[in-house]
């Protein structure tokens, strides 16, 4: 390994959803525009949405977006430990990009040293390659019950000798208790690593918080580097399903094409549908009960981390019957990944890879069966449409890009996609299934709606009228630049640069003393 060791900066939060990921994303774009070779890193991530690197490794979606902001390809070293929540309160452990077990207490006891070595080894490799590594923490920084087994927060900063910034969310209220309480709860050795505060998600004129800045600085001895505004309508993928639990702010436009996405309890990779929601004239809403159903022009069953459990939930809520009635009435129904598995005739799991059930009947809208085994498929894909029915017919022979992350293999029916073996080889495997009229269809390809021609051709088959709009990729790039501009304007970049370089910031208050008086 090279003797070169990049400088580091860590961003930790007072809680989950304080905005750590967006701050890291913004800083990756800011420093990349300055010509710095910068890379993101998150040792351990708990994420509903995952991305697939070029070698087939899985990492958290946020780190893939951060890599995009930095102008580099995502790699497994950016997120060496990924936890994917599943059924029964457990998580699938993805270590160095590959499945490694279930995230139980016993697993952590037995594998802690290996996990630590994998995380620090990945960070070392990034530091040998780049000039600056921006490290994102996980959850709340002051988790007092972790028993000294921190794999994600200030133990990483101590290992790297990294300064850290603490982010508080003023929108949820109590930002003084968030920032000061978190700082004061840290043991002295970790408290000294916090070199700056960021107040995030501020509504209105930041000057109104000048008094708050003084209070925070006087009581902590830590400089407030900036007040970052609340930014609306960022076209960036979410990594946590909690973002779907809040109120729906978007109102349906008159004449908009209404698309219902089933909000499974274990929904995964729901960023698949962001390109649809950004199309003018499309109203996309998530359905978790019959009361949410409405009168959709199409229904989508998304990916899930627990196909069998969510299929049972679908039936318990009456949504399975609603989907079948809609399909019988001519409403198009689409399944992606786990949703595609549900649309078939039957799902078997003889080895109990995914659940305690041996098998379950699918919805029977497509004529395929799925069998789970211990092999997990993960790769990026450039597929080609074969002989395609219905609305797909004009697209025959065209290529579409995406990625696969799934357990289980499906067979039977009428495949319409030709997928290279391993995502890249010349030999192809037929995949997917569709009804003869193309109204009901499904496949394993995540990201399929990012392909503009495919997306808009399907929307047109629903009666949507195409309007001028930018591509999904341009919307993401514009959002990354807008986010970076806002953070750049909000932060004291001279002080931040001094913190990264280990220089005096000019902030003179004695640190960590005044809170005791």
């Amino acid at each position: 390994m090279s003797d070169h060791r990049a400088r580091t900066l860590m961003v930790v939060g007072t809680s989950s959803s304080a905005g750590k990921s967006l701050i890291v994303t913004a800083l990756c774009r800011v420093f990349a525009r300055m010509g710095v070779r910068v890379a993101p890193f998150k040792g351990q991530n708990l994420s509903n949405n995952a991305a697939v690197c070029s070698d087939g490794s899985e990492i958290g979606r946020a780190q893939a977006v951060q890599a995009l902001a930095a102008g580099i390809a995502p790699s497994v070293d950016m997120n060496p430990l990924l936890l994917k929540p599943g059924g029964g309160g457990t998580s699938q452990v993805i270590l160095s990009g590959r499945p490694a077990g279930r995230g139980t207490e016993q697993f952590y006891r037995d594998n802690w040293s290996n996990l630590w070595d994998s995380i620090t080894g990945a960070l070392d490799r990034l530091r040998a390659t780049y000039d600056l590594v921006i490290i994102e923490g996980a959850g709340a920084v002051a988790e007092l019950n972790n028993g000294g087994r921190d794999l994600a927060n200030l133990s990483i900063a101590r290992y790297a000798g990294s300064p850290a910034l603490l982010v508080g969310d003023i929108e949820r209220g109590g930002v003084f208790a968030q920032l000061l309480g978190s700082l004061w709860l840290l043991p002295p050795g970790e408290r000294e690593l916090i070199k700056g505060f960021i107040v995030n998600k501020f509504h209105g004129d930041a000057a109104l918080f000048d008094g708050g800045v003084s209070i925070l600085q006087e009581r902590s001895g830590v400089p407030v580097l900036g007040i970052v505004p609340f930014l609306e309508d960022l076209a960036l993928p979410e990594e946590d399903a909690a973002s779907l639990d809040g109120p729906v702010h978007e109102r349906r436009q008159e004449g908009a094409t209404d698309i219902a996405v089933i909000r499974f309890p274990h929904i995964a990779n729901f960023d698949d549908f962001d390109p649809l929601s950004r199309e003018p004239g499309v109203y996309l809403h998530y359905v978790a009960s019959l009361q949410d159903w409405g009168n959709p022009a199409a229904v989508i069953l998304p990916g899930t981390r627990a196909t069998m459990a969510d299929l049972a939930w679908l039936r318990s809520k009456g949504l399975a019957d609603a989907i079948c009635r809609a399909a019988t009435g001519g409403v198009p129904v689409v399944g992606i990944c786990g949703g595609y598995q549900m649309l078939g005739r039957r799902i078997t799991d003889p080895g109990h890879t995914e659940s305690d059930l041996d098998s379950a009947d699918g919805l029977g809208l497509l004529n395929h069966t799925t069998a789970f085994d211990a092999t997990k498929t993960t790769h990026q894909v450039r597929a080609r449409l074969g002989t395609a029915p219905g609305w797909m017919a004009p697209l025959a022979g065209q290529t579409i890009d995406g990625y696969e992350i799934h357990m289980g293999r499906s067979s039977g029916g009428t495949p319409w996609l030709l997928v290279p073996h391993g995502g890249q080889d010349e030999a192809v495997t037929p995949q997917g299934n569709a009804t003869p009229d193309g109204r009901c269809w499904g496949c394993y390809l995540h990201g399929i709606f990012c392909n503009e021609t495919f997306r808009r051709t399907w929307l047109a088959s629903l009666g949507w009228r195409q309007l001028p709009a930018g591509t999904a990729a341009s919307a993401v790039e514009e959002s990354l630049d807008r986010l970076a501009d806002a953070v750049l304007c909000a932060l004291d970049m001279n002080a931040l640069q001094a913190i990264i370089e280990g220089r005096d910031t000019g902030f003179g208050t004695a640190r960590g003393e005044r809170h005791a008086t």
Side-chain angles (χ1 to χ4, degrees), residues 294-305:
N295 186 30
V299 179
I300 299 177
L301 281 67
T304 165
R305 305 180 308 279

Side-chain angles (χ1 to χ4, degrees), residues 3 77 84 95 122 125 129 170 179 214 228 242 253 271 377 384 412 430 444 447 469 479 491 499 503 511:
D3 292 334
D77 283 341
K84 303 185 74 174
L95 182 62
R125 287 188 291 274
T129 305
I170 196 170
L179 291 168
S214 298
V228 176
Q253 296 174 314
D271 56 313
T377 299
R384 180 166 52 85
Y444 280 114
S479 291
L491 298 189
I499 288 170
R503 296 186 284 107
R511 310 182 73 253

Side-chain angles (χ1 to χ4, degrees), residues 120 157 159 220 400 512:
T120 54
Y159 173 82
S220 69
I400 53 177

Side-chain angles (χ1 to χ4, degrees), residues 180-467:
L180 296 175
S182 295
L183 181 73
W184 296 342
L185 285 171
L186 294 173
E190 293 188 349
R191 193 182 307 154
E192 292 299 317
L193 296 173
I194 305 297
K195 303 298 184 182
F197 289 155
I198 295 176
V199 176
N200 197 25
K201 305 182 188 178
F202 189 86
H203 291 265
D205 183 357
L208 296 174
F209 197 68
D210 285 349
V213 169
S214 298
I215 291 170
L216 287 170
Q217 294 184 155
E218 288 170 3
R219 299 201 179 195
S220 69
V222 174
V224 176
L225 295 187
I227 315 298
V228 176
F230 182 88
L231 298 173
E232 295 186 288
D233 300 325
L234 288 174
L236 298 177
E238 297 280 356
E239 71 168 352
D240 196 299
S243 63
L244 303 180
D245 294 335
V248 176
H249 299 291
E250 180 185 359
R251 292 183 177 274
R252 179 178 178 180
Q253 296 174 314
E254 186 68 30
T257 300
D258 186 345
I259 299 174
V261 179
I262 303 301
R263 203 300 196 192
F264 292 127
H266 304 99
I267 190 171
N269 291 68
F270 52 87
D271 56 313
D272 281 345
F273 314 114
D274 289 351
L276 292 171
S277 67
R278 289 195 288 267
E279 287 284 14
V282 170
Y283 173 70
L284 186 133
H285 72 285
Y286 285 83
V287 173
S289 69
L290 291 175
Q291 288 71 34
D292 304 328
W293 185 259
N295 186 30
V299 179
I300 299 177
L301 281 67
T304 165
R305 305 180 308 279
T307 300
M308 302 280 256
D310 282 352
L311 180 56
W313 171 87
L314 202 67
R315 290 193 163 104
S316 73
K317 292 289 187 178
L319 290 170
D321 288 340
I323 291 167
C324 291
R325 284 195 303 269
T328 301
V331 175
V333 177
V334 174
I336 304 296
C337 199
Y340 164 54
Q341 294 172 339
M342 293 183 196
L343 292 181
R345 291 187 289 110
R346 193 159 183 79
I347 303 171
T348 60
D349 189 7
H352 297 167
T353 299
E354 200 223 42
S355 76
D356 293 332
L357 298 175
D358 292 327
S359 64
D361 289 332
L363 299 182
L365 297 180
L366 290 175
N367 191 28
H368 65 269
T369 59
T370 298
F372 281 102
D373 56 32
T375 303
K376 187 169 191 178
T377 299
T378 59
H379 50 241
Q380 296 178 350
V381 172
R382 171 157 286 183
R384 180 166 52 85
L385 270 74
T387 302
W391 65 272
M392 302 180 190
L395 303 178
Q398 293 193 16
T399 58
I400 53 177
D401 295 321
Y403 61 98
E404 292 187 39
I405 307 178
H406 61 90
M407 308 289 282
R409 301 178 187 279
S410 300
S411 58
T414 308
W416 55 276
L417 271 179
L418 301 176
V419 178
H421 290 313
Q424 297 178 347
D425 298 342
E426 289 185 6
V428 295
T429 300
Q431 191 204 100
N433 197 357
T435 54
D437 60 5
R439 284 188 175 274
C440 185
W441 59 273
C443 65
Y444 280 114
L445 205 60
H446 290 291
I448 194 167
F449 291 116
C450 290
N451 296 272
E452 183 175 305
T453 300
F454 182 91
R455 177 179 73 248
R456 291 186 169 181
T457 301
W458 179 64
L459 287 173
S461 76
L462 306 180
W464 173 79
R465 189 164 52 86
Q466 181 171 329
L467 299 173

Side-chain angles (χ1 to χ4, degrees), residues 80-163:
L81 178 57
L82 172 64
L83 306 180
K84 303 185 74 174
T90 64
S91 297
Q92 183 186 46
V93 177
I94 307 296
L95 182 62
S96 300
R98 306 296 177 186
R102 307 302 298 180
T104 62
E105 180 68 19
Q106 186 65 46
F107 178 89
Y108 277 91
R109 280 199 299 267
D110 294 344
N111 294 279
W112 195 91
S113 294
N114 182 42
L115 297 175
W116 176 257
D117 290 344
S118 297
I119 289 169
T120 54
L123 178 57
D124 288 343
R125 287 188 291 274
L126 287 178
R127 295 186 72 185
T129 305
Y130 296 94
D131 298 325
L132 174 64
V133 178
I134 303 180
I135 306 168
E136 181 185 340
V141 70
E143 297 286 4
L144 303 182
N145 63 335
N146 66 18
R149 291 179 297 165
D150 172 29
L151 291 170
N153 283 311
L154 292 177
S155 63
I156 302 297
R158 287 200 309 272
Y159 173 82
S162 178

